[in-house]
Amino acid sequence: MRLDDALGLLADLGYDGVGLTLDHMHLDPLAPDLATRTARVARRLGELGLGATVETGGRYVLDPRRKHCPSLLDPDAGGRAARVGLLLRAVRVASDLGAHAVHCFSGVLPADTPPDEAWKRLASSLAPVLEAAEAARVPLAVEPEPGHLLATLDDFHHLRGLLGDPAPAVLGLTLDIGHCQCLEPLPPADCLRAAAPWVHHLQIEDMRRGVHEHLPLGDGEIDFPPVLAALAELTAAGYPGLTVVELPRHSHAGPELARSSLSFLRREAPAC
């Protein structure tokens, strides 16, 4: 969908915001006049009353042949620098949009790379991004991603230690509820409560244990009322960010799934 059309649809359905992925078709971070285009999107968001989080999971935004490459773990320093450059642009875009946070992820452990070396690359690559995020007052929200070096909540805390334990206002989490169901030892609601001090962005969908496949709400194994109760607690405690429905392989049914997902969440939410 065209970005203006997608934003209008979400507003008409009653959504409060959007997880905006910078990509070749939606606010291309590598095309000319980024600041001008960002200002136009900011006006559109304001007209519609939508908040935003800037996401950086465009599959081929940097390399048309390799998904999510180069990453922050790339063996080539130039490749890592390209990913850092994308994240620095994302911070500027987020600041100009008044976005809640900038989302990012570690990337997959490259072949023949010892994990200790990969963690060093990750921490070193993120250092200038954190500096820019702190200056812009836009939190960086790292997502534990199945199959990546940083895959779990424990991995996130390991990264925090390597970076000298930055303040939660600077380095925090994108917590994906489906990923919790897929990988974490605790139920998703307990994961959300444990991660609460660091959460800046939430993604939600259904999923099955051990299978990293994003499913429409109600099609997997997640028990949603406890998750939504934990989310209500987080919101009552002052969480200012978004909870975005993430169904990256269902764009062919986007309008209908946007409608049915919001209806599902409203129906399953605990009564206030």
Side-chain angles (χ1 to χ4, degrees):
M1 297 181 70
R2 297 177 185 88
L3 180 56
D4 278 359
D5 291 342
L7 296 178
L9 170 69
L10 294 176
D12 288 346
L13 289 172
Y15 282 88
D16 296 316
V18 58
L20 178 57
T21 299
L22 305 183
D23 209 342
H24 62 89
M25 56 189 173
H26 287 162
L27 198 51
D28 187 343
L30 304 182
D33 299 322
L34 180 58
T36 300
R37 291 182 288 114
T38 301
R40 187 181 65 79
V41 174
R43 288 194 297 272
R44 179 67 168 156
L45 291 169
E47 291 166 359
L48 296 171
L50 294 174
T53 295
V54 172
E55 300 203 9
T56 59
R59 289 178 175 88
Y60 299 101
V61 68
L62 291 176
D63 188 327
R65 293 175 174 84
R66 299 182 301 153
K67 178 182 174 182
H68 292 157
C69 289
S71 78
L72 297 171
L73 311 178
D74 201 285
D76 176 62
R80 298 196 298 275
R83 178 61 62 173
V84 169
L86 174 65
L87 295 180
L88 292 174
R89 284 176 176 243
V91 169
R92 291 196 294 272
V93 168
S95 178
D96 290 345
L97 292 178
H100 299 293
V102 172
H103 150 278
C104 69
F105 46 81
S106 68
V108 176
L109 179 67
D112 302 321
T113 299
D116 285 351
E117 173 61 25
W119 282 108
K120 290 177 184 177
R121 290 176 190 169
L122 179 60
S124 176
S125 296
L126 283 179
V129 183
L130 286 173
E131 183 178 348
E134 184 172 16
R137 298 185 179 181
V138 178
L140 192 66
V142 179
E143 180 183 8
E145 181 79 21
H148 283 210
L149 176 72
L150 196 158
T152 66
L153 290 172
D154 283 349
D155 292 335
F156 167 71
H157 292 300
H158 179 62
L159 174 64
R160 287 179 52 238
L162 292 176
L163 289 167
D165 195 16
V170 178
L171 176 65
L173 273 167
T174 292
L175 188 69
D176 187 301
I177 298 301
H179 295 174
C180 295
Q181 176 71 21
C182 180
L183 283 183
E184 296 289 346
L186 294 175
D190 292 345
C191 290
L192 181 52
R193 291 187 176 95
W198 297 278
V199 172
H200 290 300
H201 185 46
L202 285 162
Q203 297 169 339
I204 196 165
E205 68 284 317
D206 218 335
M207 205 168 286
R208 299 186 179 96
R209 184 71 178 166
V211 182
H212 185 203
E213 180 183 4
H214 291 235
L215 300 172
L217 303 173
D219 285 5
E221 299 173 345
I222 294 177
D223 183 12
F224 280 97
V227 171
L228 298 176
L231 177 56
E233 295 169 13
L234 185 70
T235 302
Y239 171 63
L242 298 175
T243 302
V244 300
V245 179
E246 189 185 30
L247 294 171
R249 298 182 181 180
H250 292 77
S251 60
H252 62 282
E256 173 55 26
L257 278 169
R259 184 200 62 77
S260 62
S261 296
L262 189 56
S263 295
F264 179 96
L265 293 171
R266 286 172 170 165
R267 183 174 68 250
E268 296 295 320
C272 297

